[in-house]
């Protein structure tokens, strides 16, 4: 993440270092990035009744980044890792999902952080926030009964089949 000058704003996925930017400055960057995303939706979703209500092609081509931005916009806390890759804080983690174009969201943290205890409520908040901005969200239980979300664009946009 230290290359923000060359690559632009990067939303927190939960796999980077702890955020070092002052909270107010980070919130302003997130707000600006999300407004840009809504503008992309308005410009590319002209055939839809409400173009802001569904992920744009840009988001469907970069789903991890788009989902991370949507979560960070809500004020949800991203997890973080130190330089050795050891998890140092509890929060959401966004990564590629099992199928092409899908994203996995889990609530994770270092041992003793309480992340497993908090995951049900935290993931419910993440799911609600993502549905509010047009993503399809399904809750699953993985190994050791840990919950996670599988996030994808609505089937009418992705050409896929709806799953219930």
């Amino acid at each position: 993440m230290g290359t923000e000058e060359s690559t632009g704003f990067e939303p927190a996925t939960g796999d980077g270092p702890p955020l070092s930017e002052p909270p107010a400055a980070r919130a302003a960057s997130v707000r600006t990035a999300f407004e840009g995303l809504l503008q992309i939706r308005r410009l590319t979703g002209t055939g839809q009744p409400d173009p802001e209500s569904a992920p744009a092609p840009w988001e469907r081509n970069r789903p991890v980044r788009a989902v991370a931005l949507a979560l960070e916009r809500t004020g949800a806390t991203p997890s973080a890792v130190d330089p050795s890759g050891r998890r140092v804080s509890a929060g959401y983690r966004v990564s590629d999902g099992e199928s092409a174009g899908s994203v996995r969201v889990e609530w994770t943290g270092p041992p003793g952080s309480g992340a497993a205890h908090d995951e049900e409520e935290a993931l419910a908040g993440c799911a609600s926030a993502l549905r509010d901005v047009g993503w399809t969200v399904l809750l699953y239980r993985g190994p050791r009964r840990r919950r996670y979300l599988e996030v994808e664009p609505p089937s009418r946009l992705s050409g896929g089949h709806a799953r219930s």
Side-chain angles (χ1 to χ4, degrees):
M1 286 216 188
T3 60
E4 202 161 325
E5 296 86 24
S6 61
T7 62
F9 175 80
E10 285 295 326
T13 63
D15 278 336
L19 298 174
S20 58
E21 197 172 356
R26 181 69 186 186
S29 295
V30 169
R31 218 174 10 262
T32 299
F34 194 76
E35 282 301 318
L37 184 137
L38 291 178
Q39 183 64 15
I40 290 169
R41 286 183 174 194
R42 285 189 290 269
L43 293 171
T44 61
T46 55
Q48 298 179 15
D50 181 7
E52 290 185 13
S53 68
W58 181 91
E59 295 169 87
R60 294 190 307 271
N61 290 327
R62 298 161 189 81
V64 168
R65 190 172 187 195
V67 166
L69 176 58
L71 290 175
E72 192 171 356
R73 172 192 170 257
T74 69
T77 304
S79 184
V81 295
D82 67 13
S84 71
R86 187 176 56 96
R87 195 125 330 252
V88 294
S89 65
Y92 67 81
R93 178 180 182 258
V94 182
S95 59
D96 288 322
E98 293 180 21
S99 61
S102 73
V103 173
R104 180 182 177 119
V105 177
E106 53 197 328
W107 197 261
T108 189
S113 68
H117 176 72
D118 298 336
E119 79 180 1
E120 184 174 9
E121 184 177 341
L123 287 175
C126 291
S128 177
L130 292 168
R131 286 184 185 114
D132 286 349
V133 293
W135 292 93
T136 299
V137 181
L138 302 167
L139 175 66
Y140 290 99
R141 279 193 192 264
R144 297 183 308 230
R145 303 192 44 81
R146 294 295 306 264
R147 295 170 182 89
Y148 67 94
L149 304 175
E150 193 74 19
V151 183
E152 56 190 28
S155 61
R156 71 182 185 280
L157 295 174
S158 64
H161 302 286
R163 295 188 292 179
S164 355

